[in-house]
Amino acid sequence: MKQLFLPEDYTSVLDVWQTEHAIKFIKDTFQLALAAELKLRRITAPIVVPSGKGLNDNLSGTEQPVSFGARVLRGQRAEIVQSLAKWKRYALWRHHIQPGMGIYTDMNALRPDETIDNIHSVYVDQWDWEKVITPEERTPERLQLCVERIYAALKRTEFLLSEQFPVLQPFLPDRIHFIHAEELRKQYPGLSPKEREERIACQFGAVFIRGIGGALGDGTIHDDRSPDYDDWSTEAEDGSVGLNGDIIVWNPVLQSAFEISSMGIRVDRAALEKQLWLKNAGDWKKLYFHSLLLEGKLPQTMGGGIGQSRLCMLLLQKCHIGEVQAGLWPDEVLTECEKAGVFLF
């Protein structure tokens, strides 16, 4: 997608103040539905973590967080979080959460290396969630069940929103489709991964693509993933590889695929060793988080992040994420949106 795409004859369904009320309604409704579906308890999340402990999220492994010297740490560097993929697992261990239960947070983060467009912003807000599972539950079937429950929470929120604001009628399909990244590659061998997402999302309306980060049959990957949280290398009983994936829906306003969540079953000791080796990141084993995991102290978990502004943008039928969040935008984007009558907070 270009840095800015304004659909022809676009007009926001809700005005600015209706939008503010609807944002709160979506956030209040969805987090309760998500907590009920997955048995999650809300926990307070950090916006800053110490550098050098491996607690911050590396995303694809190349993005650099905002860092600064903190007087309270006597000069040691600290970082603004990019997401909480690893911190949540650490928190589950500290709080002695048992299998079947989990936590969710209101995460606010900065990603300074983000390339902004209609759906990406330097500021990121997510419901970051994580729950404890047993080693026996590290299966594609357990992952699929979790995705179905998240989608049920999404559909419930969409319905209740339409009852509160009748002008916003539900458009998401009743069920979400499941496919592995390798199967998707074989279906569309001449297309890029993003083009494949467009095709499958347009066809089914909602899809979960599994196995993102691991090598496909032609040696490529569907998309990059850091080696130390999602398990994208473990082989399942059916021979497929990867216990993670993305929830993607079709956005009728932008007429494009629209990622709602990246999630998965997390690495165990063997998967972490393998993925660090594959990514030439063996030196990460010395970090605090990674040493806890390799020593067998951290619980087996699954988790992910669900974009709050992304979800609001989708359900409120907005064309730009700046219509639902106070982000940071170049002057030319602000000018073009103002000319088109698109109000950015």
Side-chain angles (χ1 to χ4, degrees):
M1 186 181 293
K2 297 178 181 178
Q3 186 180 54
L4 179 63
F5 168 70
L6 298 176
E8 188 175 353
D9 299 325
Y10 169 78
T11 301
S12 176
V13 176
L14 303 181
D15 66 27
V16 173
W17 292 112
Q18 289 174 323
T19 296
E20 291 283 18
H21 287 295
I23 289 171
K24 185 176 188 303
F25 181 87
I26 290 171
K27 291 188 175 185
D28 290 346
T29 303
F30 181 76
Q31 66 181 344
L32 292 178
L34 180 70
E37 288 287 347
L38 299 185
K39 296 183 179 179
L40 308 176
R41 297 166 177 155
R42 188 190 180 281
I43 189 172
T44 300
I47 191 170
V48 179
V49 293
S51 299
K53 290 185 176 292
L55 289 173
N56 204 353
D57 188 354
N58 301 94
L59 303 177
S60 68
T62 60
E63 295 86 348
Q64 294 298 311
V66 176
S67 66
F68 55 93
R71 181 181 298 177
V72 68
L73 298 179
R74 298 183 180 180
Q76 180 183 341
R77 303 292 291 179
E79 299 172 357
I80 295 178
V81 298
Q82 297 194 112
S83 89
L84 298 170
K86 290 176 286 185
W87 178 88
K88 293 174 297 179
R89 192 169 183 179
Y90 173 68
L92 288 170
W93 172 60
R94 290 188 64 211
H95 288 279
H96 308 289
I97 304 297
Q98 298 302 304
M101 297 295 296
I103 57 175
Y104 77 94
T105 73
D106 285 306
M107 186 216 70
N108 296 282
L110 294 180
R111 297 180 182 175
D113 288 340
E114 190 71 82
T115 300
I116 68 163
D117 54 25
N118 286 60
I119 64 175
H120 293 93
S121 173
V122 170
Y123 166 67
V124 180
D125 54 347
Q126 291 185 166
W127 289 285
D128 252 334
W129 65 272
E130 198 87 7
K131 68 180 301 181
V132 181
I133 62 175
T134 65
E136 293 74 27
E137 291 179 297
R138 302 186 76 254
T139 65
E141 293 76 20
R142 182 66 181 84
L143 178 64
Q144 179 168 327
L145 177 60
C146 184
V147 172
E148 289 171 340
R149 288 178 173 172
I150 292 172
Y151 193 70
L154 175 55
K155 287 291 294 178
R156 175 181 176 83
T157 303
E158 182 189 43
F159 168 73
L160 292 175
L161 178 68
S162 70
E163 291 289 285
Q164 191 76 12
F165 299 89
V167 70
L168 297 168
Q169 286 302 298
F171 58 88
L172 293 170
D174 290 337
R175 289 185 173 85
I176 185 169
H177 179 71
F178 291 85
I179 191 169
H180 192 278
E182 174 62 13
E183 182 183 350
L184 187 60
R185 181 192 71 82
K186 290 179 178 178
Q187 283 189 19
Y188 305 108
L191 300 183
S192 70
K194 291 304 176 186
E195 290 170 335
R196 294 170 203 154
E197 290 182 4
E198 295 285 328
R199 289 288 185 91
I200 198 73
C202 182
Q203 180 181 357
F204 289 99
V207 61
F208 181 76
I209 302 175
R210 181 165 67 88
I212 295 180
L216 302 178
D218 61 353
T220 66
I221 60 172
H222 186 84
D223 198 7
D224 207 5
R225 288 293 185 272
S226 190
D228 54 355
Y229 51 99
D230 280 345
D231 185 337
W232 41 258
S233 65
T234 292
E235 184 174 334
E237 290 185 359
D238 62 1
S240 63
V241 176
L243 298 172
N244 71 313
D246 289 349
I247 297 175
I248 297 171
V249 301
W250 181 252
N251 187 314
V253 175
L254 297 180
Q255 287 291 294
S256 66
F258 192 81
E259 181 189 320
I260 290 294
S261 176
S262 179
M263 58 172 288
I265 292 173
R266 307 308 196 184
V267 290
D268 58 10
R269 184 185 310 175
L272 178 62
E273 291 268 14
K274 181 178 181 179
Q275 293 181 184
L276 290 178
W277 177 77
L278 288 170
K279 291 286 188 177
N280 294 315
D283 55 333
W284 291 12
K285 295 179 184 179
K286 301 175 183 178
L287 299 175
Y288 178 58
F289 171 85
H290 302 73
S291 63
L292 287 175
L293 180 52
L294 292 171
E295 291 168 8
K297 294 182 178 179
L298 299 182
Q300 178 59 63
T301 66
M302 65 188 307
I306 302 168
Q308 295 187 14
S309 291
R310 284 275 185 100
L311 183 58
C312 290
M313 178 186 173
L314 176 74
L315 296 184
L316 299 183
Q317 301 173 28
K318 302 289 190 177
C319 77
H320 198 284
I321 198 167
E323 295 181 90
V324 296
Q325 68 158 234
L328 185 66
W329 317 109
D331 289 341
E332 58 268 25
V333 170
L334 293 171
T335 299
E336 286 190 54
C337 285
E338 185 175 1
K339 288 180 180 178
V342 177
F343 185 91
L344 302 188
F345 287 105

